[in-house]
Structure formats: structure tokens, C-alpha cells
Amino acid sequence: MDLTFNERELAFREELRGWLADHEPGPEPDGEDANYTWRVEFQRALANDGWAAVHWPPEYGGRGATLTQSAIFFEELGRAGAPLPANVLGLLLAGPTIMTWGTPEQKERYLTPILSAEEIWCQGFSEPDAGSDLASLKTRAVKDGDGWVVTGQKVWTSAAQYSKWCMLVARTDPEAPKHKGLTYFLMDMEQEAVTVRPLRQITGESEFNELFIDGARIPAENVLGGEGNGWKVALTTLMNERAGLAFFLQVRLRQMLDRLIAEAAQRGQLEDPVIADRLGELHLKAEILRLTAYRGLTAIEKYGQPGPEGSLTKWMWSETNQQLTQLAADLLGPAALTSGGRWAYELLRARGNSIEGGTTEVLKNIVAERVLGLPKAR
Ligand SMILES: Cc1cc2nc3c(=O)[nH]c(=O)nc-3n(C[C@H](O)[C@H](O)[C@H](O)COP(=O)(O)OP(=O)(O)OC[C@H]3O[C@@H](n4cnc5c(N)ncnc54)[C@H](O)[C@@H]3O)c2cc1C
């Protein structure tokens, strides 16, 4: 593992730091819609200067950034206190999937409005009975003339309320083995047959939604990667899900830990050996997380594909974030929950960390089988 940046990477970081200093996004506004608008505006500013999707090739409006530069981008975004761009699922998932599987016409049509946040994307994968075991999904697409008619239900669809397009995986051949009968569609959300119903979370927000699809029409040219290839195309989306984000998350975790240490110091709690010990343990975990994220990067650069380190960092991050926010609640007492401050939100939001983007149990299986070489559970 090489932790030193070369000259090109250092120059990239300096240029980005300069840009972020000139384009401070300002404090995070309260209220979901205001927060979302703030993130749209921030993405537009990024896009205007070619920073929205540094990892995209220049012909599609990116900077052709290397993986290390992409990691630097997310790390610096986190360090500057900037938000993730509003169209994060378009930039990280839909765009790269369309670049890999799309026809020239699809690339021409969809990529530019992703960059500018003109068209927001959501990911319609999970269903009430298909999450970890995604390939068992039941949403059905049936051929009808020169297109498809889709019926079914999706759930946990983040940002669906703002989205123009949905990366939709549906079953097109119920007779085929479950991984083979799927097709990946680009579904227009703006039609009557699609109903978005927000789900209220423990934080009070509605980040995600239920999606009821009752005879939605999708033209044939909106199939991505060919009929029956949905599983392979979906894997491209899933492989892109964790790339880069680990760096944003580990910096944010570090910042929260520093804030907690400062608050504990102010209250004279660092003198308590038990509290000092728990904070010390979190410091160690934050460092391990940072170094493991870099180790994952080195593996991708060496072997050309992500290793199981992505699963390890996701698992470690969610566990550490939950421990950190719990410690904040323990240290601050009821005030952490009643003062309306940030800690109450962080504590409650952290509960979902061990579910979203792959549950901890599923990630442990991956680490057991692919890192430790233990026998398969199934
Ligand atoms: C904040 C948030 C945002 C999300 N956003 C989106 C989105 O935008 N689009 C989208 O499609 N989905 C989204 N999801 C859904 C997410 O991907 C699923 O919740 C996740 O994959 C788990 O699926 P499930 O909820 O159906 O749980 P299940 O798969 O039913 O799991 C239930 C329990 O069983 C355990 N389990 C399952 N299989 C195994 C196994 N093989 N071995 C051991 N234990 C197992 C799980 O760990 C879990 O504890 C989001 C979820 C959250 C929390």
C-alpha cells in the first residue's frame, strides 16, 4: 500500500481545494426540500466547472480522474463540509452503468442531464420480498407492441420523489432461472402509472419511498444492456455503489469524532478513564477505516477490480458510526436527544447504516467467504 500522492494527484488536490474555498456551500439548511435544493445548487456549481463527475471520461463531461483522484475528490468534499451532490445516484450509479452498457443514443440522451442535475435518478432495485436476495424480485415487465408494460412494487427507493428516471430491474421471463429472467430498464417516473409514496423514517425525514407501478409503459429503446441481461447490468450498478463513497464517509466520521472529543473536553469528561478509553477505541477504528479504504484503492489499482475490502470498510464504517453516535448520547445524556441538536439526528440516522447498501450480515458473509476462505453458508 502506497500512501503518498504523486505530483499529479497533489496538483489535483490543490486545484480542488482552491475551488472548494471559492465555492463554499454554506451551512446545511433545515428541512428536506430546502436541503435538497441546496444540494442541487451545489451540484450545478460543480458541473459548471467540470467537477461534478471527476471519474467520468472527458468525452462525457468528466475529468477522466484516476481512482486515487476520485478518492481525493470525495475526501476533500467531506473535509470542506460540502454535501454529496443531489444527483448522487445518477453520478455514481446510473451514469457509469449507461457508459458500460448503453447504446450511443442512450449515452447521448442521458449522460449530460445527470451531470447538471437537470434529471435526477433513483434506483428501483429492492422490493418488499427482495432486498439482500435481489434476484428474487417479482416486478413484472411484459412485451406490448414496441415496448413493455411494467407492474409491481419497489421499496426503499431513495430520492424517488425528486426523480425523473429510475434504474428499474424487472422480471421479463418468469420461466428462466431467477438470475436469468431479468431485464434492466430506464423508466420515466413522470407517468400516471407510477405512484411515489414517501416512507417516514425514525429521523422524521422521508429520504426513501415506496414505488407502486401499475401498468407503466417503457419504450423498447429504454432497455439497457439487452433483454434478459438485467442481472449483469445490475451488478455493474452495484459494483459502482461503494466506489469513492468510503472516502467521504471516513472523513465525515473523523470530523464527528473530533467534535465529540471537543465536547467531552469542554465538559471535563476526558479525565474519566472509561470515557477516554471509549474515545481512544473510536480513534483507532477511525484510523483503521481510513487505512483500509486506501488498501482497497491499492487493490483496485493493482488488480483492476474492487476486492472484498469494500465490504469490510462498509461494515466497519456502519459499526463505528453507530458506536460513535451512541457514545455521544451516553456522554451528553438526555440533552443529546432533546436539545434538537445534530447528535439526535446522527444517532437515529446511524441505525440504517447497517442495512443500506448491503446489510452487515451479508457483508460478513462476503468477508468470511472471500477474505477468510471459510466454507459457503449456502
Ligand atoms: C437508508 C436506506 C436507503 C436505501 N435506498 C435504496 C434505494 O435507493 N434503492 C433500492 O433499491 N434499495 C434501497 N435500500 C434498500 C436496501 O438495499 C435493502 O434494505 C437491503 O439490501 C436489505 O434488504 P431488505 O431490507 O429486504 O432486508 P432482507 O434482505 O429481507 O434482510 C432481513 C434480515 O435478514 C438478514 N439476511 C438476509 N440474507 C442473509 C444471508 N444470506 N445471511 C445472513 N443474514 C441474511 C439481513 O442481514 C437482515 O438482517 C435502502 C435502504 C436503506 C436503509
Side-chain angles (χ1 to χ4, degrees):
M1 177 170 62
D2 182 3
L3 287 177
T4 51
F5 293 135
N6 64 30
E7 268 179 37
R8 235 182 106 210
E9 290 157 356
L10 287 173
F12 177 90
R13 191 177 67 181
E14 280 319 297
E15 193 186 345
L16 176 59
R17 280 188 180 172
W19 189 90
L20 285 166
D22 292 342
H23 298 82
E24 272 184 28
E28 189 170 349
D30 286 332
E32 256 175 281
D33 288 339
N35 192 289
Y36 172 75
T37 307
W38 176 62
R39 290 174 56 206
V40 168
E41 279 162 10
F42 182 63
Q43 181 174 335
R44 294 219 165 116
L46 285 168
N48 282 342
D49 292 327
W51 287 108
V54 293
H55 59 299
W56 287 20
E59 68 260 39
Y60 301 131
R63 291 186 175 231
T66 61
L67 278 166
T68 305
Q69 287 172 326
S70 194
I72 291 172
F73 174 80
F74 282 105
E75 204 167 42
E76 291 302 320
L77 217 59
R79 189 164 288 141
L84 283 175
N87 206 6
V88 64
L89 297 179
L91 294 167
L92 292 185
L93 307 188
T97 310
I98 292 170
M99 280 177 225
T100 306
W101 293 96
T103 60
E105 292 74 26
Q106 287 172 330
K107 291 177 193 171
E108 172 77 28
R109 164 65 188 82
Y110 295 107
L111 295 177
T112 306
I114 290 179
L115 275 183
S116 57
E118 245 169 278
E119 291 182 349
I120 303 292
W121 284 72
C122 63
Q123 182 188 11
F125 282 23
S126 303
E127 295 184 3
D129 288 322
S132 305
D133 182 17
L134 183 61
S136 61
L137 62 86
K138 293 194 184 75
T139 292
R140 186 85 169 89
V142 178
K143 247 190 199 141
D144 181 45
D146 189 27
W148 296 84
V149 175
V150 184
T151 304
Q153 189 195 338
K154 297 286 171 180
V155 72
W156 317 124
T157 322
S158 305
Q161 68 271 45
Y162 303 117
S163 292
K164 161 73 177 159
W165 295 103
C166 177
M167 301 164 251
L168 182 92
V169 187
R171 188 160 305 282
T172 43
D173 183 357
E175 307 302 324
K178 68 176 182 178
H179 290 83
K180 298 218 164 122
L182 304 173
T183 299
Y184 196 115
F185 295 95
L186 311 177
M187 181 177 77
D188 191 342
M189 298 281 287
E190 289 175 4
Q191 49 179 315
E192 268 192 20
V194 176
T195 306
V196 175
R197 195 158 77 190
L199 284 168
R200 188 160 287 269
Q201 294 159 242
I202 194 173
T203 54
E205 298 171 304
S206 298
E207 255 176 284
F208 46 55
N209 305 269
E210 289 177 298
L211 210 61
F212 297 95
I213 310 168
D214 186 13
R217 300 201 69 88
I218 304 184
E221 69 258 27
N222 286 26
V223 167
L224 187 67
E227 184 181 339
N229 273 336
W231 184 248
K232 279 195 213 155
V233 184
L235 284 184
T236 305
T237 305
L238 293 172
M239 274 178 52
N240 278 289
E241 194 159 3
R242 281 168 220 147
L245 270 186
F247 289 87
F248 183 82
L249 297 175
Q250 59 91 4
V251 169
R252 278 293 162 89
L253 187 125
R254 179 75 247 173
Q255 289 169 333
M256 279 215 290
L257 180 56
D258 289 343
R259 188 151 57 89
L260 183 59
I261 293 172
E263 287 184 33
Q266 252 178 16
R267 298 165 150 254
Q269 288 171 316
L270 294 184
E271 310 307 317
D272 181 329
V274 175
I275 293 174
D277 192 48
R278 285 176 75 186
L279 285 167
E281 193 187 327
L282 283 167
H283 167 74
L284 273 182
K285 287 188 170 172
E287 275 301 286
I288 293 170
L289 193 61
R290 185 174 70 83
L291 295 172
T292 313
Y294 275 102
R295 196 171 62 179
L297 199 64
T298 312
I300 302 179
E301 284 187 340
K302 253 196 204 149
Y303 307 116
Q305 55 183 15
E309 290 82 2
S311 300
L312 195 58
T313 37
K314 163 67 188 16
W315 160 18
M316 282 167 51
W317 166 75
S318 57
E319 197 175 83
T320 312
N321 204 34
Q322 287 172 353
Q323 283 171 359
L324 168 59
T325 52
Q326 184 58 56
L327 181 58
D330 292 348
L331 295 193
L332 306 179
L337 297 177
T338 54
S339 62
R342 200 68 200 160
W343 287 117
Y345 172 83
E346 299 290 0
L347 176 72
L348 297 173
R349 181 60 185 81
R351 305 317 303 165
N353 294 162
S354 44
I355 304 171
E356 59 197 310
T359 69
T360 293
E361 291 77 12
V362 167
L363 299 176
K364 282 182 177 174
N365 282 347
I366 295 173
V367 172
E369 290 166 15
R370 294 185 43 204
V371 180
L372 302 174
L374 296 175
K376 284 196 178 221
R378 299 170 300 282

